[in-house]
Amino acid sequence: MPTSEKALGQARSSSPGMTPNTCCCSRGAVQRRLPILAWLPSYSVQWLKMDIIAGLSVGLTVIPQALAYAEVAGLPPQYGLYSAFMGCFVYFFLGTSRDVTLGPTAIMSLLVSFYTFHEPAYAVLLAFLSGCIQLVMGFLRLGFLLDFISCPVIKGFTSAATVTIGFGQIKNLLGLQNIPRQFFLQVYHTFLSLGETRVGDAVLGLVCMVLLLVLKLMRDHVPPLHPETPPGVRLSHGLVWVATTARNALVVSFSALMAYSFEVTGCQPFVLTGETAEGLPPVRTPPFSVTTANGTISFTRMVQDMGAGLAVVPLMGLLESIAVAKAFASQNNYRVDANQELLAIGLTNVLGSFVSSYPVTGSFGRTAVNAQSGVCTPAGGLVTGALVLLSLNYLTSQFYYIPKAALAAVIIMAVAPLFDAKILRTLWRVKRLDLLPLCVTFLLCFWEVQYGILAGALLSVLMLLHAVARPHTQVSEGPVIVLQPASGLHFPAVEALREAILSRALEASPPRCVVLECTHVCSVDYTVVLGLGELLRDFHRRGVGMVFAGLQVPVLRALLSADLKGFQYFSTVEEAEKYLRQEPGTQPYNVSEDSVLSQKVASVGRPNGARRAVSERGECPEVHPHL
């Protein structure tokens, strides 16, 4: 049942994640590792009410989705439910977002299908190894590595996965048989087999898709309740809210009931899910070897068979989960700890592998349901996990009658919003070069997922390195040339900067003086210092002045420590230009490094800071000592 906006705001404003400094430093470290300690002492009855509502809503969503995603993963349907409850209990203790729900997702299921060959043993072992990798990353605080996978790469992969998953369900939507799973073969055989479409499955699938769309639109347009709303209207509002929130469970239940009715009459027009293993999953260690008719497959061989999946699956799982957590944290005005999220999802996958779970991650769709239902703490996940366990223990025999067309409709409607067509127009307006990694990732993911992600990530890194190696430099022409690097100055950029200065100054006729304005340069390395020293020598040989302006203290200290001959610097470009226009023969101003640095630091923040210079007699034109 929905609550009033006023009550919802009061409860959620004081729920976890909203108060950054809730305890002293001695307890802060413990709370960072066990976030439950931050919100459990202040848990209230109002929070309990909202968490139960949200947990039930998510539970009614995850059960049909878990059955459907097991189909995407190429595993028996019970493995979807095995993967749907462990994250609820682990995240209750370790999660830093009140909204996030961990469990099977469409994209993760697609990756599992790709790397585990539709073998449950491989899928469970992949969950264990992925969790170990994620735990190590969390303990080493390596969450920043995910920042190197750019948004265009993620969007390209997500869009390709949406197309792959959606089209992969066309066979179930139309009741087609013997369609291969490889995407291009799948497309070919699907169109080749259109004449074999089962009318019952096609009609049911389309009807389910329409119902899901209508219910979703109703859910998005349900008006908020006001405190003075009459009880009758409040009741009808609650019924609509329940029906639209649990639309997946409603549509799947309706389809199963219809299939059961046909089964009783002896005429079955639908392809059914079939037998589902009954009862709770056994608690056992992950399979570190597999015995087949041809012998035993060792742990080493299994790891080799999964190959790049051991890198792709944990990384994409982390990306998806942390992206979901940060998105809802920003929307609801609280913060999440990325490294703590790594520990939560890592431990979920490790423990989940002991109950036959395949790799899981944060679900955007179910997290949205959780947030919209007014969840206040991760305790809502306990209700969701309990509901999944109850369905495993008591309802698995009823899953036999669920038509595959209905599950296909659930999957298609779940992944459709993940395809972001607007990103193309946005990137075209913002930065067209970003379309390159997006398109490369999108296209190559249809061939091999790891190649698409790797190629897109490498392109993004190369674009970043190109910006570092060839920083944009603003140039002001005139008797004195002023060059201002618009970003940092690092060793790959030295040669490009050197060529730009030589071509504009020394190769001109007559040669012109140069001011290198370094306001945006916050650090330099040894290669940069050497390159600048060579430039100073080139200018000295031609009898032309080159000076520096706007140096930050760390850069100034590095250049002074290198003892560059002819090095001169000024606080402002105006002072540098004024000096370079003076007649030669001026007496130099010599001062020690320590003195220069102390005066430089003292002049920081002064609008007309004093001019500074360090030089040797007989070098390029020197500054006047007007201090």
Side-chain angles (χ1 to χ4, degrees), residues 548 568-572 574-576 578-579 582 586 589 591 596 599 603 606 608-613 622-627:
F548 295 78
Q568 299 173 324
Y569 78 97
F570 297 82
S571 296
T572 65
E574 291 76 13
E575 291 179 349
K578 181 179 178 182
Y579 161 70
Q582 292 176 355
T586 308
Y589 178 72
V591 67
V596 171
Q599 293 179 45
S603 67
R606 292 202 291 245
N608 295 311
R611 179 175 65 234
R612 306 283 181 256
E622 309 298 340
V623 294
H624 287 280
H626 297 300
L627 299 179

Side-chain angles (χ1 to χ4, degrees), residues 507-550:
E507 296 176 6
S509 183
R512 292 183 289 178
C513 297
V514 169
V515 177
L516 189 59
E517 208 283 323
C518 299
T519 302
H520 301 298
V521 180
C522 59
S523 66
V524 291
D525 52 45
Y526 180 66
T527 306
V528 172
V529 173
L530 287 181
L532 295 177
E534 292 178 2
L535 272 175
L536 288 172
R537 288 193 293 271
D538 290 339
F539 274 79
H540 173 61
R541 284 194 293 266
R542 297 293 300 273
V544 183
M546 174 182 170
V547 299
F548 295 78

Side-chain angles (χ1 to χ4, degrees), residues 278-364:
E278 297 186 11
L280 301 176
V283 179
R284 58 193 177 194
T285 58
F288 295 105
S289 63
V290 178
T291 302
T292 65
N294 298 324
T296 300
I297 302 176
S298 66
F299 172 74
T300 304
R301 176 63 184 277
M302 294 177 73
V303 170
Q304 291 174 348
D305 289 342
M306 288 185 284
L310 292 174
V312 174
V313 170
L315 286 179
M316 293 310 300
L318 294 176
L319 272 175
E320 190 173 1
S321 185
I322 292 177
V324 170
K326 287 185 176 181
F328 281 87
S330 175
Q331 176 181 320
N332 295 323
N333 194 29
Y334 63 90
R335 298 183 63 185
V336 295
D337 183 343
N339 289 297
Q340 180 65 25
E341 292 294 303
L342 295 184
L343 297 177
I345 189 173
L347 190 59
T348 294
N349 280 320
V350 169
L351 296 181
S353 66
F354 286 83
V355 290
S356 301
S357 166
Y358 65 81
V360 300
T361 184
S363 167
F364 189 89

Side-chain angles (χ1 to χ4, degrees), residues 57-216:
S57 303
V58 176
L60 294 174
T61 302
V62 72
I63 291 173
Q65 280 191 345
L67 296 171
Y69 291 152
E71 162 68 23
V72 176
L75 301 174
Q78 67 268 18
Y79 281 88
L81 293 173
Y82 293 167
S83 307
F85 64 86
M86 184 58 72
C88 301
F89 301 121
V90 173
Y91 204 79
F92 171 74
F93 294 98
L94 300 181
T96 60
S97 168
R98 64 166 177 254
D99 298 305
V100 166
T101 62
L102 299 180
T105 65
I107 291 176
M108 189 55 62
S109 300
L110 176 67
L111 293 176
V112 169
S113 171
F114 189 84
Y115 291 112
T116 62
F117 325 107
H118 313 145
E119 290 289 340
Y122 277 84
V124 174
L125 180 60
L126 182 59
F128 176 78
L129 296 177
S130 297
C132 291
I133 293 171
Q134 291 162 341
L135 281 175
V136 169
M137 293 182 66
F139 281 120
L140 297 180
R141 306 188 68 83
L142 298 179
F144 72 92
L145 294 177
L146 302 178
D147 297 336
F148 287 94
I149 301 180
S150 65
C151 183
V153 174
I154 298 173
K155 289 290 186 180
F157 163 72
T158 304
S159 298
T162 300
V163 174
T164 303
I165 294 168
F167 196 90
Q169 294 305 308
I170 297 296
K171 63 180 187 295
N172 292 328
L173 200 68
L174 302 180
L176 303 179
Q177 303 292 329
N178 301 319
I179 303 296
R181 288 183 174 271
Q182 204 282 332
F183 179 74
F184 296 107
L185 292 176
Q186 192 176 81
V187 173
Y188 173 75
H189 285 280
T190 298
F191 283 105
L192 196 65
S193 306
L194 285 178
E196 304 173 10
T197 299
R198 295 170 58 100
V199 176
D201 286 297
V203 171
L204 177 66
L206 293 175
V207 169
C208 288
M209 289 178 65
V210 171
L211 284 175
L212 289 170
L213 179 60
V214 170
L215 290 172
K216 182 180 185 302

Side-chain angles (χ1 to χ4, degrees), residues 221-297:
H221 293 86
V222 172
L225 281 176
H226 299 286
E228 62 275 8
T229 303
V233 176
R234 186 180 294 274
L235 177 62
S236 61
H237 183 279
L239 293 175
V240 171
W241 182 85
V242 170
T244 53
T245 299
R247 57 185 177 275
N248 289 329
L250 190 65
V251 168
V252 169
S253 300
F254 168 76
S255 302
L257 183 61
M258 185 181 298
Y260 178 76
S261 302
F262 279 110
E263 187 80 9
V264 171
T265 62
C267 174
Q268 186 56 265
F270 311 128
V271 177
L272 303 181
T273 298
E275 292 290 342
T276 301
E278 297 186 11
L280 301 176
V283 179
R284 58 193 177 194
T285 58
F288 295 105
S289 63
V290 178
T291 302
T292 65
N294 298 324
T296 300
I297 302 176

Side-chain angles (χ1 to χ4, degrees), residues 4-20:
S4 68
E5 292 297 321
K6 181 177 180 180
L8 179 62
Q10 290 175 347
R12 289 173 69 90
S13 65
S14 57
S15 58
M18 303 296 288
T19 54

Side-chain angles (χ1 to χ4, degrees), residues 148-150 153 437 455-468:
F148 287 94
I149 301 180
S150 65
V153 174
L458 285 177
L459 270 176
S460 297
V461 172
L462 287 176
M463 290 165 55
L464 176 64
L465 293 177
H466 182 270
V468 172

